[in-house]
Amino acid sequence: MKYIAGVDIGGTNTKIGILDEEGDIIIKKSIKTLSLDGVEKTMMRIWETICELLREKNINIDNLEGIGMGIPGPVKNQEIVGFFANFPWEKNLNIAEIFKNISGKITKVENDVNVIALGEAKHGAGKGSKSSVTIALGTGIGGGICIEGKIISGFSGAGGEVGHMKLVKDGKLCGCGQRGCFEAYASATGIEREAISRLKVNKTNELYKKLNGQIDKLEAKDVFECAKEGDKFSLDIVEYESEYLAMGIGNILNLINPEKIILSGGVSLAGDILLDRVKEKLPKYAMGVTLQDGFKIEIGILEENAGIYGAAALIG
């Protein structure tokens, strides 16, 4: 029997899993990434963990077909990482070659959100659909476009960076350094920034009470929790968020016309209180033909395993 290792490398933690021929995760482990140790030590630690997992399942290393990796940054040709979003590593590193030299195994690398998208497309909410776009709503906004089982990475690895579509001319400053990005309005950071600015002038609401006046401690989830309890102040912020989320999704639908939009990440956990409003507003921004019967917008179902599944899918 052949096996594949799926590796989801994050800024703080790295999730590693071994999948069997049926595509099921049979064992997994999370380790600290410790990127400050440098690329060689980080990759060696990942390989040692893969070997440890193989030993635990009594799998001969010769039966490991290859390793797929998701990593934060644009990836070209499933080999070269243009730059690292969270690591102090050199630009244009051939991570696939570095890891192959360590392991002796075929290695393929892709952007971390792209592998989440591939995981959801093949094993999760997008299973059975021919085209899907996964939008990762967290501190920022990432995206992955999957067509006929393949990720659209783009010419230089920046394909799917939907978070940096411009929604407002000269709008709010984004973490990328530009203004008016989708991410600046609809990410957890965007929600928190909007909520804090409103709390500075309106303190007669349940959200302010929940925070005991410590508005600098606010997180996006606090807004959604108070909204679900009926706090009008928080519901207004959810309306604000859903408007920009619908606008961004509408642009994606008009450009790509996917069968499914899949939402993942912390903001997506708000559930129906956000999703219902987005669906209601979508006809304002998406052409009617993109919303015809068969189109669906859903929450991802693989959660923390999506990256492992998607990384492994790079191999087979």
mmCIF file of all heavy atoms in Angstrom, residues 2 17 42 62 76 122 127 153 175 186 207 211 223 231 245 255 269 275 296:
data_model
loop_
_atom_site.group_PDB
_atom_site.id
_atom_site.type_symbol
_atom_site.label_atom_id
_atom_site.label_comp_id
_atom_site.label_asym_id
_atom_site.label_seq_id
_atom_site.Cartn_x
_atom_site.Cartn_y
_atom_site.Cartn_z
ATOM 1 N N LYS A 2 0.450 2.261 -0.751
ATOM 2 C CA LYS A 2 1.179 3.512 -0.827
ATOM 3 C C LYS A 2 0.546 4.560 0.100
ATOM 4 O O LYS A 2 -0.664 4.554 0.325
ATOM 5 C CB LYS A 2 1.177 4.052 -2.261
ATOM 6 C CG LYS A 2 1.944 3.174 -3.244
ATOM 7 C CD LYS A 2 3.444 3.190 -2.938
ATOM 8 C CE LYS A 2 4.220 2.370 -3.953
ATOM 9 N NZ LYS A 2 5.674 2.350 -3.638
ATOM 10 N N GLY A 17 0.060 15.087 8.472
ATOM 11 C CA GLY A 17 -0.763 13.883 8.468
ATOM 12 C C GLY A 17 -0.284 12.878 7.448
ATOM 13 O O GLY A 17 0.355 13.242 6.451
ATOM 14 N N THR A 42 13.886 23.725 10.094
ATOM 15 C CA THR A 42 12.428 23.575 10.078
ATOM 16 C C THR A 42 12.016 22.390 9.209
ATOM 17 O O THR A 42 11.182 21.561 9.612
ATOM 18 C CB THR A 42 11.756 24.866 9.568
ATOM 19 O OG1 THR A 42 12.133 25.961 10.411
ATOM 20 C CG2 THR A 42 10.241 24.733 9.561
ATOM 21 N N ASP A 62 9.674 3.177 2.464
ATOM 22 C CA ASP A 62 9.658 2.975 1.007
ATOM 23 C C ASP A 62 8.249 3.089 0.434
ATOM 24 O O ASP A 62 8.072 3.309 -0.769
ATOM 25 C CB ASP A 62 10.237 1.597 0.651
ATOM 26 C CG ASP A 62 11.728 1.503 0.942
ATOM 27 O OD1 ASP A 62 12.383 2.562 1.011
ATOM 28 O OD2 ASP A 62 12.234 0.383 1.097
ATOM 29 N N LYS A 76 5.406 29.191 -7.106
ATOM 30 C CA LYS A 76 5.493 29.022 -8.550
ATOM 31 C C LYS A 76 5.896 27.599 -8.890
ATOM 32 O O LYS A 76 6.839 27.052 -8.326
ATOM 33 C CB LYS A 76 6.515 30.010 -9.136
ATOM 34 C CG LYS A 76 6.488 30.095 -10.653
ATOM 35 C CD LYS A 76 7.374 31.226 -11.147
ATOM 36 C CE LYS A 76 7.293 31.355 -12.675
ATOM 37 N NZ LYS A 76 8.122 32.479 -13.173
ATOM 38 N N LYS A 122 -11.848 18.487 -2.931
ATOM 39 C CA LYS A 122 -11.756 17.034 -3.150
ATOM 40 C C LYS A 122 -12.372 16.193 -2.040
ATOM 41 O O LYS A 122 -12.852 15.084 -2.284
ATOM 42 C CB LYS A 122 -10.294 16.644 -3.338
ATOM 43 C CG LYS A 122 -9.697 17.148 -4.644
ATOM 44 C CD LYS A 122 -8.485 16.328 -5.059
ATOM 45 C CE LYS A 122 -8.088 16.636 -6.497
ATOM 46 N NZ LYS A 122 -7.011 15.755 -6.979
ATOM 47 N N LYS A 127 -16.782 18.757 -2.624
ATOM 48 C CA LYS A 127 -16.687 17.427 -3.237
ATOM 49 C C LYS A 127 -17.849 17.200 -4.201
ATOM 50 O O LYS A 127 -19.009 17.428 -3.870
ATOM 51 C CB LYS A 127 -16.691 16.351 -2.151
ATOM 52 C CG LYS A 127 -16.399 14.955 -2.676
ATOM 53 C CD LYS A 127 -16.282 13.952 -1.527
ATOM 54 C CE LYS A 127 -15.959 12.560 -2.048
ATOM 55 N NZ LYS A 127 -15.842 11.573 -0.935
ATOM 56 N N SER A 153 -3.009 28.571 -9.870
ATOM 57 C CA SER A 153 -1.967 29.267 -9.116
ATOM 58 C C SER A 153 -1.532 30.575 -9.756
ATOM 59 O O SER A 153 -0.998 31.460 -9.077
ATOM 60 C CB SER A 153 -0.738 28.358 -8.954
ATOM 61 O OG SER A 153 -1.065 27.208 -8.216
ATOM 62 N N GLY A 175 -3.303 45.500 5.085
ATOM 63 C CA GLY A 175 -2.010 44.995 5.531
ATOM 64 C C GLY A 175 -1.009 44.846 4.409
ATOM 65 O O GLY A 175 0.208 44.800 4.648
ATOM 66 N N ALA A 186 -13.683 43.080 5.092
ATOM 67 C CA ALA A 186 -14.457 41.878 5.426
ATOM 68 C C ALA A 186 -13.699 40.836 6.236
ATOM 69 O O ALA A 186 -14.259 39.806 6.582
ATOM 70 C CB ALA A 186 -14.991 41.236 4.139
ATOM 71 N N LEU A 207 -22.306 45.079 23.419
ATOM 72 C CA LEU A 207 -20.914 44.752 23.078
ATOM 73 C C LEU A 207 -19.957 45.472 24.019
ATOM 74 O O LEU A 207 -18.991 44.866 24.515
ATOM 75 C CB LEU A 207 -20.627 45.128 21.621
ATOM 76 C CG LEU A 207 -19.214 44.808 21.099
ATOM 77 C CD1 LEU A 207 -18.908 43.328 21.215
ATOM 78 C CD2 LEU A 207 -19.077 45.264 19.639
ATOM 79 N N LEU A 211 -17.383 43.707 26.902
ATOM 80 C CA LEU A 211 -15.938 43.972 26.946
ATOM 81 C C LEU A 211 -15.524 44.698 28.223
ATOM 82 O O LEU A 211 -14.328 44.954 28.421
ATOM 83 C CB LEU A 211 -15.519 44.809 25.734
ATOM 84 C CG LEU A 211 -15.723 44.157 24.357
ATOM 85 C CD1 LEU A 211 -15.571 45.203 23.259
ATOM 86 C CD2 LEU A 211 -14.740 43.011 24.152
ATOM 87 N N VAL A 223 -18.362 40.406 18.437
ATOM 88 C CA VAL A 223 -19.399 41.088 17.664
ATOM 89 C C VAL A 223 -20.493 40.099 17.281
ATOM 90 O O VAL A 223 -21.699 40.380 17.455
ATOM 91 C CB VAL A 223 -18.807 41.736 16.400
ATOM 92 C CG1 VAL A 223 -19.915 42.340 15.537
ATOM 93 C CG2 VAL A 223 -17.769 42.794 16.769
ATOM 94 N N ASP A 231 -28.246 42.265 20.094
ATOM 95 C CA ASP A 231 -27.712 43.610 20.289
ATOM 96 C C ASP A 231 -27.718 44.373 18.967
ATOM 97 O O ASP A 231 -27.020 44.003 18.019
ATOM 98 C CB ASP A 231 -26.283 43.514 20.840
ATOM 99 C CG ASP A 231 -25.621 44.865 21.022
ATOM 100 O OD1 ASP A 231 -26.304 45.793 21.489
ATOM 101 O OD2 ASP A 231 -24.427 44.988 20.690
ATOM 102 N N LEU A 245 -18.798 41.628 2.262
ATOM 103 C CA LEU A 245 -18.553 40.224 1.919
ATOM 104 C C LEU A 245 -19.335 39.858 0.662
ATOM 105 O O LEU A 245 -18.816 39.193 -0.241
ATOM 106 C CB LEU A 245 -18.935 39.326 3.094
ATOM 107 C CG LEU A 245 -18.499 37.859 3.034
ATOM 108 C CD1 LEU A 245 -17.016 37.724 2.743
ATOM 109 C CD2 LEU A 245 -18.845 37.153 4.350
ATOM 110 N N LEU A 255 -16.518 37.032 -12.205
ATOM 111 C CA LEU A 255 -15.253 36.756 -12.887
ATOM 112 C C LEU A 255 -15.061 35.273 -13.188
ATOM 113 O O LEU A 255 -14.630 34.900 -14.280
ATOM 114 C CB LEU A 255 -14.088 37.263 -12.029
ATOM 115 C CG LEU A 255 -12.687 37.098 -12.611
ATOM 116 C CD1 LEU A 255 -12.532 37.942 -13.880
ATOM 117 C CD2 LEU A 255 -11.638 37.511 -11.578
ATOM 118 N N LEU A 269 -17.238 31.042 11.008
ATOM 119 C CA LEU A 269 -17.884 30.361 12.128
ATOM 120 C C LEU A 269 -19.053 31.155 12.706
ATOM 121 O O LEU A 269 -19.790 30.647 13.545
ATOM 122 C CB LEU A 269 -16.852 30.068 13.234
ATOM 123 C CG LEU A 269 -15.679 29.164 12.817
ATOM 124 C CD1 LEU A 269 -14.726 28.966 13.992
ATOM 125 C CD2 LEU A 269 -16.180 27.809 12.319
ATOM 126 N N LEU A 275 -24.121 34.395 7.056
ATOM 127 C CA LEU A 275 -24.338 33.776 5.746
ATOM 128 C C LEU A 275 -25.690 34.151 5.146
ATOM 129 O O LEU A 275 -25.785 34.435 3.944
ATOM 130 C CB LEU A 275 -24.210 32.250 5.876
ATOM 131 C CG LEU A 275 -24.125 31.448 4.585
ATOM 132 C CD1 LEU A 275 -22.963 31.925 3.725
ATOM 133 C CD2 LEU A 275 -23.970 29.963 4.897
ATOM 134 N N LYS A 296 -24.146 27.178 -5.040
ATOM 135 C CA LYS A 296 -24.285 27.133 -3.582
ATOM 136 C C LYS A 296 -23.149 27.903 -2.926
ATOM 137 O O LYS A 296 -22.038 27.947 -3.441
ATOM 138 C CB LYS A 296 -24.273 25.677 -3.078
ATOM 139 C CG LYS A 296 -25.495 24.862 -3.483
ATOM 140 C CD LYS A 296 -25.426 23.464 -2.901
ATOM 141 C CE LYS A 296 -26.658 22.646 -3.287
ATOM 142 N NZ LYS A 296 -26.584 21.258 -2.748
#
